[in-house]
Amino acid sequence: MSAMPIDEKPSRNEEEYFARRNAELIKEQRARLDAERQRRDRSAHYMKCPKCGGDLAEREYHHVRLDECSECGGVWLDKGELQMIEHVERSQVSRFIGSMLGLRH
């Protein structure tokens, strides 16, 4: 294989190939950086209060897991947990809510 003389310019096809390849590399790097940023953002918000940013602690009440903020006292439910509360017997609902809020009945 002979080397191209130094003073010889690359052909238009070669220029297009390298331009296209550089664009692909940049696109791949952008996708990697975006994915890493999304992972960092998710981990920064995991188990954090959406209201004040405090740490959430998981607590269980009548088989329903609630996330309670150690700072503002806010209580958060994951998807489907509100529907689980609907299945608590009506006679136990006030006791359930009272225990969730720290009240005695």
Side-chain angles (χ1 to χ4, degrees):
M1 179 171 164
S2 65
M4 182 175 22
I6 295 175
D7 60 345
E8 202 174 306
K9 292 185 178 183
S11 72
R12 181 165 171 79
N13 287 342
E14 288 174 314
E15 288 176 2
E16 288 175 2
Y17 168 80
F18 286 114
R20 191 170 40 255
R21 184 65 186 134
N22 286 340
E24 290 170 1
L25 291 172
I26 290 169
K27 184 178 178 180
E28 290 169 6
Q29 181 65 13
R30 169 69 5 215
R32 279 193 298 276
L33 291 173
D34 288 347
E36 178 58 32
R37 183 176 345 145
Q38 185 177 22
R39 278 191 294 279
R40 270 195 326 268
D41 289 349
R42 283 183 180 241
S43 67
H45 296 288
Y46 181 73
M47 291 301 286
K48 297 291 184 183
C49 177
K51 183 176 179 184
C52 74
D55 291 330
L56 296 177
E58 192 175 80
R59 293 175 47 182
E60 187 170 315
Y61 296 97
H62 302 272
H63 307 290
V64 177
R65 291 190 180 126
L66 309 170
D67 300 321
E68 184 174 21
C69 179
S70 61
E71 301 289 323
C72 71
V75 177
W76 308 97
L77 301 169
D78 291 335
K79 183 177 181 177
E81 290 174 337
L82 185 59
Q83 289 75 13
M84 291 175 69
I85 293 172
E86 291 175 352
H87 295 287
V88 175
E89 291 182 34
R90 288 198 185 276
S91 63
Q92 295 179 356
V93 169
S94 63
R95 195 168 70 216
F96 173 82
I97 292 173
S99 67
M100 189 171 68
L101 299 175
L103 305 173
R104 295 268 182 218
H105 277 90

